[in-house]
Amino acid sequence: MRLQNQKVIALVDHDFEDLELWYPVHRLREEGAQVDLVGQAAKEKYIGKYGVPAESDYAFSEVNPEDYDAILVPGGWAPDKLRRFPEVIRFVQHMNAQQKPIGQICHAGWVLISANILEGKTVTSTPGIKDDMTNAGATWVDEPAISDGHLVSSRRPPDLPDYLRELINVMEAYQR
């Protein structure tokens, strides 16, 4: 198991893209990582865009990003909600400052934009937020998945296998 002893925050809110949350969560767990679902409230059931539920393990207020090795931001409409929480912005900024892996897919780029960490980065996302990403100072590329240092980004659900291969490689390289 390549990611044994790693702890990952998986952010969650209503209307997450079901596959963009659960596929990474399961793949990282298969590699030995502990993945904690973190939302506004602990033990709350959040419903994905297509009806798949996810129950949070912890509330934002209960989590210290220093205790984690990586963070996942799912797509869907949840990122537009997640970026409004100061704790979420703090988590992402902390991971960025510590050069810890940040995984983002589809609309998740909105959270990174709000955290103001994309200046000079090369990223991808759903083409629908390409302008948002470039206006935040990033270079946007139309690739299934790309990493720029500790930041791993992907476009949409069909790209999940490429995204997770890249994310797992980056996480393995950044192990403490």
Side-chain angles (χ1 to χ4, degrees):
M1 292 196 276
R2 297 166 57 190
L3 303 178
Q4 201 161 15
N5 302 320
Q6 288 209 33
K7 289 179 64 180
V8 181
I9 294 171
L11 297 171
V12 65
D13 204 325
H14 293 290
D15 298 318
F16 61 87
E17 207 301 333
D18 307 60
L19 287 172
E20 293 171 359
L21 174 71
W22 283 115
Y23 187 102
V25 166
H26 289 308
R27 280 294 297 122
L28 295 180
R29 286 176 177 166
E30 287 172 352
E31 291 293 343
Q34 174 186 322
V35 182
D36 295 331
L37 299 181
V38 181
Q40 182 179 10
K43 304 302 178 201
E44 182 168 328
K45 185 183 286 186
Y46 296 92
I47 305 298
K49 283 174 46 178
Y50 303 107
V52 177
E55 184 175 309
S56 58
D57 299 301
Y58 299 104
F60 299 141
S61 62
E62 299 173 323
V63 171
N64 180 350
E66 298 221 6
D67 296 334
Y68 288 85
D69 303 292
I71 191 166
L72 288 174
V73 188
W77 302 123
D80 189 38
K81 298 170 188 174
L82 289 166
R83 67 182 175 164
R84 300 173 197 196
F85 293 100
E87 300 97 331
V88 169
I89 299 305
R90 184 174 54 84
F91 295 165
V92 172
Q93 289 173 337
H94 172 82
M95 294 296 184
N96 188 60
Q98 298 299 311
Q99 301 287 295
K100 293 181 179 180
I102 299 170
Q104 68 96 24
I105 185 169
C106 200
H107 286 86
W110 280 336
V111 174
L112 281 62
I113 290 167
S114 293
N116 198 27
I117 66 165
L118 291 181
E119 183 72 37
K121 295 291 187 180
T122 300
V123 297
T124 194
S125 66
T126 179
I129 67 167
K130 173 186 174 184
D131 291 345
D132 301 329
M133 301 290 269
T134 58
N135 288 338
T139 299
W140 188 89
V141 295
D142 190 12
E143 300 283 334
I146 188 164
S147 61
D148 186 339
H150 63 286
L151 177 60
V152 181
S153 57
S154 188
R155 297 179 302 194
R156 57 181 74 91
D159 301 324
L160 282 163
D162 293 317
Y163 173 49
L164 267 294
R165 274 191 296 277
E166 191 66 26
L167 181 61
I168 290 166
N169 287 338
V170 168
M171 288 178 66
E172 189 175 36
Y174 281 87
Q175 284 191 37
R176 342 176 191 183

